[in-house]
Structures are given as C-alpha cells and as structure tokens.
Amino acid sequence: MNVKLSSYVWDGCTAAGMKLTSVAIMARLADYSNDDGICWPSIETIARQLGAGISTIRTAIGKLEKEGWLTRQQRRSGNRNAPNIYRLNVSKLRQVALSHTSDSDPSNPDGSKSDASESDRSKSDASESSKTGNSHPPESGGDPSVNSTQDPSLNSTPFCQVAAQPDPQVLLTDQAKQVLNHLNLTTGSRFTNCNTSLEHIRARLREGFTPDELQLVVEYKTEDWRGSEQEQYLRPMTLFAPSKFPEYLQKAGRWKEAGRPQRVDGRWVKLDVFTRNSILNYTIPAGFRGE
C-alpha cells in the first residue's frame, strides 16, 4: 500500500467533487500501486471488494481515464485477456491534493515545497537502490514498462487474498475415481485406478457429462446384463465408449423414470406391482381358504 498516494487520492479526488464510487475505485488502485502509481488488479477483484457490479466498475474506470486521472494498458496472456495495467496520474493527484491542503490549512503555506523535497529524497533513495542492486518491488509486483523483469501476472500479492482454486485436472481425476469405485461396488469388480480405466471416464466428463449420469449408466447396464453373456463387458472401455454412452444414458434415464425395474428372463418387470408385465404373487396366505 502506498500511503502517500492514498492520501493524495482521498484529498484530491474528494476536493475535485468526484463521486464516491470513483473515489473508492481510485483508493483501491492506490492501495495496489507502487510509487509510480502502477498496478494491475482485475475488474472482478475491485468489484468484489467494493461490493459493486462489474459493469459499474468498468464504466467508472472509463470515465476516470477520460478525465485524466489514470491511464490503462490492455494485456493478453496467451489466448486470454490478462488484467489491465493501470497508471494513476500521480502529478495531477499531488497537485489537486496539495492545493486543497494549502487552501484549507493556513499553517502550511508552503506545503508544495515540503512535498517536493520529500519527492526529491525518494528519487535519491531510488537511485541509490538501483546502484547497489538491492531493488525492493512493491507489494503488487513489478511492471515490464518500469525497468523490471517481473511479470505482473506472476507472483503478485493482492491486498485481499483469494482462496486457491483446485486444479481442474485433479478434480476431473477425482470424479473419475469416484465413478470407477461405484462401478466396482455395483458389479463386484476390482478395476484399479490406472490410466487405462480412468481415461474412458475422464473423456466423458470432459464432454460435459456428470458423475451422477455415469453412475446411472453403470447401475442400468448392470441390471440389464446381469446373468447374461454380456455381463463380462461391464467395464469402463465398454460402458463409457463414445459411440455407445449417449444411447446407454438415454435408456438409463427411461429406466430410472420407470422406477428401476428388474430384468427377469430377458424382460423388464416391476415386482409385486399390478401393472403390465409384472410378476404377481398368487400364493394363498396361511389361514385363508381358496375358492
């Protein structure tokens, strides 16, 4: 956090009659900025921290740029857009803030000279640091355009830490293991978590199918092929084959809607239910007389 720059923002932007939302955005950018007013937080980060909409933040930043309070540079990381690089107009902020301070505080009639001397000292310290090679980048990281080799998209430390997101590939493999374990429990098989077994499952998950849908197909085909020669094909390679799986899933959905009937003698039947193709129990209970 750059304390002096933040004070310029609160004094200068408020004195300029800036709206509260714009002042808050400038303050957040100042918190991320180095001494030159450079930072690169994402629009989503600013919106989340201020409790405002993304479109509101984007519109306000565009207006601030038109009014000369900041400039922004768009970046790309591979095929994706990376967060913009923002450069606050430090000179304008300092000028407006000091003029407001000198007008409101008669005890400091020469505030601009005092600040200028402090600025000279900071420049002198910066030059000494560069000579000795002991450079200390700000919290927000380095910027490629300001004599730095650090990529702002790497090793940046935002003011508010965001919880680390799980690796998508790890999550996909965990879901595939869950489906494979369900297959083993349902069929009594012992397939191991090897790449050969998991890859067929991962392929369907990458296509957008859910683990619940894959498990439903396992349950349906287990009942369909139980006791038949096809029971030997209850394996990932067959159940999750790209040419067969959509058809299996469609039939499994109808099977589920029908109440998960059982397969008896090659026919789907509902046990003890008075419907067509049902198996009915006509045994006369003890104590009753038959006709």
Side-chain angles (χ1 to χ4, degrees):
M1 177 185 296
N2 192 311
V3 178
K4 181 174 288 296
L5 186 56
S6 295
S7 66
Y8 289 161
V9 168
W10 287 111
D11 292 337
C13 294
T14 305
M18 189 181 295
K19 291 185 178 180
L20 182 59
T21 300
S22 298
V23 175
I25 292 173
M26 290 290 292
R28 296 306 298 134
L29 293 176
D31 288 339
Y32 283 109
S33 294
N34 58 14
D35 292 339
D36 296 315
I38 298 174
C39 60
W40 42 87
S42 66
I43 294 290
E44 292 77 7
T45 298
I46 299 174
R48 184 182 68 253
Q49 293 176 354
L50 297 183
I54 293 178
S55 59
T56 300
I57 301 298
R58 186 175 286 113
T59 301
I61 290 179
K63 184 177 180 181
L64 290 169
E65 185 178 24
K66 289 182 180 179
E67 295 176 352
W69 294 102
L70 57 83
T71 59
R72 55 181 169 176
Q73 174 186 347
Q74 294 184 346
R75 297 188 301 136
R76 291 184 65 83
S77 177
N79 295 327
R80 299 181 304 151
N81 288 328
N84 295 331
I85 295 179
Y86 300 97
R87 183 189 294 268
L88 302 184
N89 192 338
V90 180
S91 299
K92 182 174 182 178
L93 288 169
R94 182 191 301 116
Q95 181 180 0
V96 176
L98 293 179
S99 63
H100 170 69
T101 303
S102 60
D103 292 341
S104 60
D105 186 5
S107 64
N108 186 20
D110 197 17
S112 60
K113 294 182 180 179
S114 174
D115 183 77
S117 63
E118 292 183 8
S119 177
D120 292 339
R121 285 200 302 270
S122 65
K123 291 180 180 178
S124 176
D125 294 341
S127 63
E128 289 297 330
S129 176
S130 62
K131 290 179 181 179
T132 59
N134 296 325
S135 176
H136 300 280
E139 181 182 356
S140 57
D143 175 41
S145 63
V146 194
N147 299 327
S148 174
T149 59
Q150 182 176 351
D151 187 347
S153 64
L154 300 175
N155 299 326
S156 59
T157 306
F159 182 72
C160 293
Q161 294 290 341
V162 180
Q165 300 298 316
D167 187 337
Q169 295 302 320
V170 174
L171 181 60
L172 195 72
T173 299
D174 289 343
Q175 292 177 339
K177 290 179 180 179
Q178 173 187 342
V179 174
L180 186 62
N181 183 59
H182 185 73
L183 173 61
N184 288 334
L185 292 176
T186 304
T187 63
S189 303
R190 296 182 179 179
F191 294 106
T192 59
N193 293 326
C194 61
N195 188 63
T196 303
S197 299
L198 293 176
E199 187 53 36
H200 295 285
I201 303 175
R202 284 193 293 247
R204 304 290 78 76
L205 293 173
R206 292 191 192 98
E207 293 174 355
F209 295 105
T210 66
D212 289 340
E213 290 175 331
L214 272 68
Q215 292 178 13
L216 178 61
V217 168
V218 169
E219 296 166 0
Y220 164 70
K221 296 308 294 182
T222 300
E223 186 62 39
D224 185 20
W225 291 344
R226 192 190 306 275
S228 67
E229 294 182 357
Q230 292 177 301
E231 188 173 9
Q232 60 181 314
Y233 298 112
L234 291 171
R235 55 192 182 188
M237 182 184 302
T238 304
L239 294 175
F240 309 119
S243 59
K244 293 293 185 180
F245 181 78
E247 177 186 352
Y248 290 162
L249 180 59
Q250 185 178 19
K251 293 181 178 180
R254 292 197 297 263
W255 173 71
K256 180 180 178 181
E257 293 176 358
R260 296 173 176 263
Q262 295 183 8
R263 190 81 162 172
V264 179
D265 295 333
R267 296 186 306 159
W268 292 107
V269 297
K270 293 182 179 180
L271 298 180
D272 298 324
V273 179
F274 289 87
T275 60
R276 183 181 300 178
N277 296 332
S278 299
I279 296 179
L280 306 182
N281 186 356
Y282 291 104
T283 304
I284 301 176
F288 287 84
R289 295 175 58 188
E291 295 181 356

